Amino acid sequence: MEFVSDQKLSGLKMFLDASTSPFHAVGNAKALLLQNGFSEVSDHGSWVSRTSHNFFIRDGSIIAWIEKDDLPSENGFRIVGAHTDSPNLRLKPFQKQSSGAFEQLSIETYGSPLLNSWLDRDLGISGRVVVANDPFEEVLFSSSAPICRVPQLAIHLDRDINEKGLKLNAQTQLVPIWADSTPNAPTFNEWLASQLSSDPDEIISWDLMLHDVQPSEILGAQGEWLASGRVDNLVSCYAAISALCDIEISDLEATPLVCLFDHEEVGSVSSAGASGNFLSGAINRIMSDLSPESRATALENSLCASVDGAHATHPNYPERHDLNHFVRLNEGIVIKRNANQRYATDAVGEALAKKTCENSDIPHQVFSNRSDLSCGSTIGPTTAANLGVRTIDIGVPQLSMHSAREICGVKDQEYLKVFCQSFFTDC
Ligand code: ZN
């Protein structure tokens, strides 16, 4: 495969740039699904008269699936799971902080961001705001321009920073500035209300967060890498949704389902997270007219691919990797193994993942962490435990994981979409 054309990457780049919060990722996935003939079902209405192509949203999570009429229900599901959230800085509920010279934003960290990566970036604000409207209404908000910045201390005031390393206190040293302290400076609620063409008194609450406004970019001597915020894990979200949208219904032997969860970066325990009942509840409703026996058989015959970022071997820190499991950008799908079940792939799953890659003529690599370092995790193990479904953990290799700006290989994101298509129809 040649390096991927800019035109081919434009859909992913638009998705990355526009999905500045989990709520925006869900909104953009919804837009793609609607363009491709999917309809929304809700928690409140009946699902009995649903069509073949459906999706279901709960806060920052979305499930989409296709049902084929003449398919034996016992064939089960082919589930591709990913997550919509990324580590970042989030706005606290009460915003009134001033140094005397600057108006500042009260923030807390979400997940495990590389704190240094948030310094000296032009930052926007996005998320959802709840406004008063009999009794209230959720409004998506994303500032079109940069509004704040976390300025790093100048080297002249921190002379040995390059020798001693950078340590940041999240309460006192990551506090963004967003206005000069002048008598005319707006309060945060006044500013937000003006952005929403609303009244400050109508703003009740928010789930707001910061994002780097720099758009995604192709880089490298041959245009081989994609740099962006939220590569982990919106690259997987986009591949999964686009693969689902491109399915020919006649190719289906099982029910394809995509589940994009919020709250993976903080452990998945929430009503919309992978440890909650969001997915199992939806699957129960989809199978509501089956006998208990048929439901059990359907789950027994189902498979799940948990798709999430994987660590490429870092050229400057080879000692942080198990070099028997060398992972390169643009060298294909990474199959993740961990004996302690931080990843759900077992030997049978690894074989299935390799077969799926080989069937679609895409390369694969196998990752295993150094034995003396603690391993990351994904939605894979918790989804496998909740559903009792064989699950594989795979993903696209990347560098700078959990930085405000990460990079991955342009070929790999294309391989991932092909993998998802093959997983839905041939696995
Ligand atoms: Zn991730």
Side-chain angles (χ1 to χ4, degrees):
M1 194 181 289
E2 294 303 310
F3 281 110
V4 181
S5 69
D6 224 3
Q7 197 186 2
K8 223 171 171 186
L9 282 161
S10 62
L12 170 60
K13 289 176 69 189
M14 279 165 59
F15 186 79
L16 285 164
D17 295 343
S19 301
T20 49
S21 78
F23 310 105
H24 290 81
V26 164
N28 294 320
K30 172 179 174 173
L32 286 170
L33 292 164
L34 288 172
Q35 279 166 26
N36 285 278
F38 286 71
S39 307
E40 183 167 6
V41 294
S42 82
D43 247 339
H44 309 297
S46 163
W47 291 17
V48 172
S49 55
R50 65 187 181 272
T51 61
S52 58
H53 291 59
N54 298 286
F55 65 90
F56 170 45
I57 291 174
R58 184 181 289 167
D59 298 306
S61 299
I62 183 168
I63 294 174
W65 71 97
I66 301 174
E67 289 169 85
K68 185 180 171 186
D69 266 349
D70 52 350
L71 205 61
S73 51
E74 290 81 2
N75 289 13
F77 295 85
R78 294 296 172 270
I79 301 164
V80 173
H83 64 88
T84 56
D85 59 325
S86 299
N88 57 17
L89 308 183
R90 299 209 169 185
L91 267 58
K92 288 186 173 182
F94 189 58
Q95 292 296 329
K96 195 172 188 300
Q97 184 159 348
S98 176
S99 71
F102 294 101
E103 298 301 301
Q104 296 185 269
L105 297 171
S106 286
I107 56 97
E108 58 187 323
T109 56
Y110 174 83
S112 308
L114 284 168
L115 296 182
N116 63 297
S117 70
W118 288 86
L119 300 176
D120 297 338
R121 288 182 187 271
D122 302 336
L123 301 171
I125 298 173
S126 70
R128 68 176 171 183
V129 182
V130 178
V131 296
N133 186 9
D134 191 25
F136 59 78
E137 179 190 4
E138 289 174 39
V139 182
L140 271 186
F141 169 70
S142 186
S143 65
S144 51
I147 184 75
C148 60
R149 187 174 171 107
V150 186
Q152 186 168 2
L153 186 61
I155 193 153
H156 316 83
L157 307 177
D158 204 4
R159 284 286 184 194
D160 54 355
I161 180 73
N162 291 331
E163 289 72 44
K164 73 180 186 204
L166 178 63
K167 211 169 168 189
L168 292 164
N169 181 297
Q171 176 67 24
T172 58
Q173 294 167 329
L174 269 181
V175 190
I177 56 172
W178 76 284
D180 281 337
S181 288
T182 64
N184 297 329
T187 66
F188 182 75
N189 281 41
E190 285 168 348
W191 175 81
L192 186 57
S194 72
Q195 298 294 304
L196 295 169
S197 305
S198 174
D199 188 281
D201 294 338
E202 290 172 356
I203 292 176
I204 302 172
S205 54
W206 54 68
D207 290 312
L208 290 173
M209 57 205 77
L210 306 186
H211 63 271
D212 181 5
V213 298
Q214 187 181 1
S216 54
E217 201 59 76
I218 305 300
L219 73 158
Q222 301 176 84
E224 55 263 64
W225 307 314
L226 170 68
S228 175
R230 305 169 299 281
V231 164
D232 172 12
N233 188 19
L234 296 183
V235 166
S236 308
C237 292
Y238 185 76
I241 288 288
S242 351
L244 187 73
C245 287
D246 285 354
I247 278 180
E248 288 290 338
I249 202 161
S250 56
D251 294 340
L252 292 175
E253 299 291 333
T255 301
L257 183 148
V258 169
C259 192
L260 310 180
F261 295 103
D262 198 356
H263 299 144
E264 189 273 346
E265 298 291 0
V266 292
S268 294
V269 182
S270 73
S271 61
S275 287
N277 75 343
F278 181 54
L279 176 58
S280 57
I283 283 182
N284 281 336
R285 288 182 84 166
I286 295 169
M287 298 198 297
S288 60
D289 54 349
L290 300 186
S291 67
E293 191 79 9
S294 299
R295 287 189 208 193
T297 312
L299 287 177
E300 190 68 34
N301 291 332
S302 295
L303 293 171
C304 174
S306 154
V307 188
D308 205 342
H311 295 293
T313 304
H314 198 297
N316 301 345
Y317 300 91
E319 73 283 0
R320 300 299 174 99
H321 300 268
D322 179 341
L323 298 178
N324 281 327
H325 298 85
F326 205 101
V327 173
R328 295 174 173 84
L329 297 185
N330 287 313
E331 292 284 330
I333 299 300
V334 180
I335 302 164
K336 300 185 234 175
R337 294 296 308 269
N338 179 261
N340 296 295
Q341 292 297 304
R342 303 291 291 165
Y343 304 128
T345 322
D346 60 9
V348 176
E350 182 183 333
L352 278 167
K354 285 177 171 168
K355 188 90 188 124
T356 306
C357 290
E358 282 153 18
N359 285 346
S360 7
D361 208 18
I362 52 177
H364 55 72
Q365 321 176 62
V366 178
F367 174 80
S368 179
N369 212 44
R370 272 188 72 99
S371 308
D372 53 0
L373 287 179
S374 69
C375 186
S377 193
T378 70
I379 56 136
T382 187
T383 307
N386 267 355
L387 296 178
V389 165
R390 182 180 302 287
T391 299
I392 54 175
D393 264 300
I394 60 133
V396 160
Q398 63 172 98
L399 291 171
S400 314
M401 191 181 284
H402 288 198
S403 163
R405 197 166 176 87
E406 305 165 318
I407 70 167
C408 66
V410 296
K411 281 190 197 175
D412 295 322
Q413 59 80 34
E414 187 70 13
Y415 293 144
L416 184 58
K417 184 180 168 188
V418 174
F419 181 96
C420 292
Q421 283 169 328
S422 179
F423 183 80
F424 285 140
T425 53
D426 305 325
C427 200

